[in-house]
Amino acid sequence: AMASTEATDMDAEVLAAIKQAFDRYDLDKNGYIDLAELSSLAEDLGESLQGDELQEAYRSLDTNGNGRVSFEEFMMWWNE
C-alpha cells in the first residue's frame, strides 16, 4: 500500500498540470477534446502530433469510440 501512496503524491502535481492544459484546450468546456484540440494539447505538453500520427493517437485515445476524448481517456493514453 505504501508504494501506491508515494506514486499518488508524486503524480498529483503532474495530474494537475495536465488537467489544467486539458481544460485550456477544452474550448467549449464540455469535458471532451476533439482532434484539433488534441493536437494543440499534445504540443503544449511537448509532444508534436501531426497527420497520421495524430489520427492514430486520437483513435487509440477514444477508447469507447464516441468520437470524442475525455480527460480520463487522455490520461490513460498519456501515462502509457
Side-chain angles (χ1 to χ4, degrees), residues 8 10 16 19-21 34-36 40 44-46 48 62 66 79:
T8 308
M10 194 179 64
K19 177 74 174 126
Q20 202 174 9
D34 62 24
L35 195 63
S40 303
D44 197 36
L45 295 170
S48 183
D62 182 16
N66 66 354
N79 286 324

Side-chain angles (χ1 to χ4, degrees), residues 2 16 20-21 23 25-28 37 43 48-50 66 74-75:
M2 198 166 150
Q20 202 174 9
D23 290 343
Y25 290 105
D26 175 19
L27 299 177
D28 45 14
E37 291 166 345
E43 203 158 304
S48 183
L49 295 172
Q50 313 273 298
N66 66 354
F74 180 76
M75 280 310 301

Side-chain angles (χ1 to χ4, degrees), residues 3-59:
S4 65
T5 310
E6 282 172 31
T8 308
D9 292 346
M10 194 179 64
D11 294 343
E13 212 170 293
V14 175
L15 189 68
I18 295 173
K19 177 74 174 126
Q20 202 174 9
F22 185 93
D23 290 343
R24 199 163 48 241
Y25 290 105
D26 175 19
L27 299 177
D28 45 14
K29 303 289 174 239
N30 64 355
Y32 296 94
I33 53 172
D34 62 24
L35 195 63
E37 291 166 345
L38 171 61
S39 179
S40 303
L41 172 57
E43 203 158 304
D44 197 36
L45 295 170
E47 191 77 43
S48 183
L49 295 172
Q50 313 273 298
D52 290 348
E53 200 182 5
L54 177 62
Q55 295 283 349
E56 201 173 303
Y58 195 72
R59 268 197 304 276

